[in-house]
Amino acid sequence: MEILTANIIAENIIAQVDEESHCQMLFEEIIDHRVLPDAIPKHEGTYKSSSGAIRKKRTTRGVELCTQWKDGSTDWISLKDLKDSYPIELVEYAIQQKINDLPAFAWWIPYVLKKRHRVIYKLKTKYWQRTHKYGICIPKSIDDAIKIDDVNKNIYWVDAIKLEMKNNRIAFEVHEGDVFKLIGFKKK
């Protein structure tokens, strides 16, 4: 049994934007879909459990989606593959095209929507809503740090950023020489 976890949905949401809320993905959009002959029809989309409850069949068989990429190319991808990579975009497409009641979609769409709302709520409350810590204003970007320093008439945040960059800059320098002489190098 395949379980779509909150981690996949959270990774999908977070992977779509960087720290400055800029979108950087290869995926453009879903432009079309097709239902193949081996797909389970709507009237066979449920079954009766041993306790007598009506349950939805867990299937992704027989549905393919035409995906357009950022470079303009398109591919037909099976629902099972696209569902794991881009669950939110897939749900939005299914609802927009009114195919969310097909058995291949009906069993997992409500779960994804519920998890998406929970993840967004947690992201809003934990990061963007926190502007102060211990009474000190916390910047979300370098521009915010400069503005806070201007308001406070000091340069504490700018100095902290310079110190952090000085300490981390060595990790981004290219070493030209014997790698065995680097401090902390361990041969695997």
Side-chain angles (χ1 to χ4, degrees), residues 81-163:
D81 296 330
L82 203 58
K83 181 173 88 64
D84 290 335
S85 302
Y86 301 101
I88 293 166
E89 293 83 352
L90 188 53
V91 166
E92 290 171 351
Y93 176 81
I95 291 170
Q96 178 188 21
Q97 296 295 318
K98 296 179 176 47
I99 58 173
N100 53 323
D101 59 343
L102 290 176
F105 293 96
W107 65 274
W108 61 273
I109 283 182
Y111 179 79
V112 171
L113 290 174
K114 186 166 86 173
K115 286 294 179 187
R116 178 182 70 172
H117 292 303
R118 285 182 183 168
V119 168
I120 290 172
Y121 174 75
K122 286 182 180 183
L123 286 173
K124 284 182 179 178
T125 58
K126 291 198 177 195
Y127 181 75
W128 292 108
Q129 296 298 320
R130 184 174 290 158
T131 59
H132 289 74
K133 188 170 183 179
Y134 305 114
I136 298 171
C137 189
I138 305 296
K140 301 292 183 196
S141 67
I142 293 175
D143 291 335
D144 285 350
I146 293 169
K147 289 176 187 173
I148 292 169
D149 281 351
D150 288 343
V151 168
N152 294 332
K153 296 180 175 55
N154 60 34
I155 56 170
Y156 294 146
W157 282 113
V158 172
D159 287 346
I161 292 169
K162 285 180 184 175
L163 178 63

Side-chain angles (χ1 to χ4, degrees):
M1 175 161 62
E2 184 179 350
I3 298 173
L4 187 62
T5 65
N7 288 342
I8 293 173
I9 295 169
E11 286 174 15
N12 178 260
I13 291 171
I14 293 167
Q16 293 179 25
V17 293
D18 60 12
E19 299 84 28
E20 304 293 323
S21 298
H22 296 118
C23 185
Q24 297 177 353
M25 296 186 340
L26 295 174
F27 175 81
E28 181 80 29
E29 65 180 333
I30 300 169
I31 56 176
D32 198 8
H33 67 277
R34 61 184 174 201
V35 180
L36 304 175
D38 65 333
I40 295 176
K42 286 182 188 179
H43 67 277
E44 294 178 15
T46 58
Y47 68 95
K48 191 177 271 192
S49 69
S50 59
S51 65
I54 303 294
R55 305 228 185 252
K56 295 176 182 171
K57 288 186 180 176
R58 293 179 176 247
T59 180
T60 55
R61 188 176 68 198
V63 178
E64 290 184 341
L65 298 119
C66 185
T67 305
Q68 183 172 350
W69 305 102
K70 290 279 186 190
D71 64 359
S73 64
T74 59
D75 289 316
W76 284 97
I77 302 174
S78 67
L79 173 61
K80 67 180 174 79
D81 296 330
L82 203 58
K83 181 173 88 64
D84 290 335
S85 302
Y86 301 101
I88 293 166
E89 293 83 352
L90 188 53
V91 166
E92 290 171 351
Y93 176 81
I95 291 170
Q96 178 188 21
Q97 296 295 318
K98 296 179 176 47
I99 58 173
N100 53 323
D101 59 343
L102 290 176
F105 293 96
W107 65 274
W108 61 273
I109 283 182
Y111 179 79
V112 171
L113 290 174
K114 186 166 86 173
K115 286 294 179 187
R116 178 182 70 172
H117 292 303
R118 285 182 183 168
V119 168
I120 290 172
Y121 174 75
K122 286 182 180 183
L123 286 173
K124 284 182 179 178
T125 58
K126 291 198 177 195
Y127 181 75
W128 292 108
Q129 296 298 320
R130 184 174 290 158
T131 59
H132 289 74
K133 188 170 183 179
Y134 305 114
I136 298 171
C137 189
I138 305 296
K140 301 292 183 196
S141 67
I142 293 175
D143 291 335
D144 285 350
I146 293 169
K147 289 176 187 173
I148 292 169
D149 281 351
D150 288 343
V151 168
N152 294 332
K153 296 180 175 55
N154 60 34
I155 56 170
Y156 294 146
W157 282 113
V158 172
D159 287 346
I161 292 169
K162 285 180 184 175
L163 178 63
E164 191 70 23
M165 292 306 296
K166 179 183 170 193
N167 291 339
N168 289 322
R169 192 173 316 263
I170 194 165
F172 301 102
E173 291 178 359
V174 177
H175 177 72
E176 294 183 20
D178 189 9
V179 293
F180 295 105
K181 293 181 180 178
L182 291 173
I183 296 171
F185 176 81
K186 294 180 182 176
K187 189 174 181 180
K188 292 183 180 181

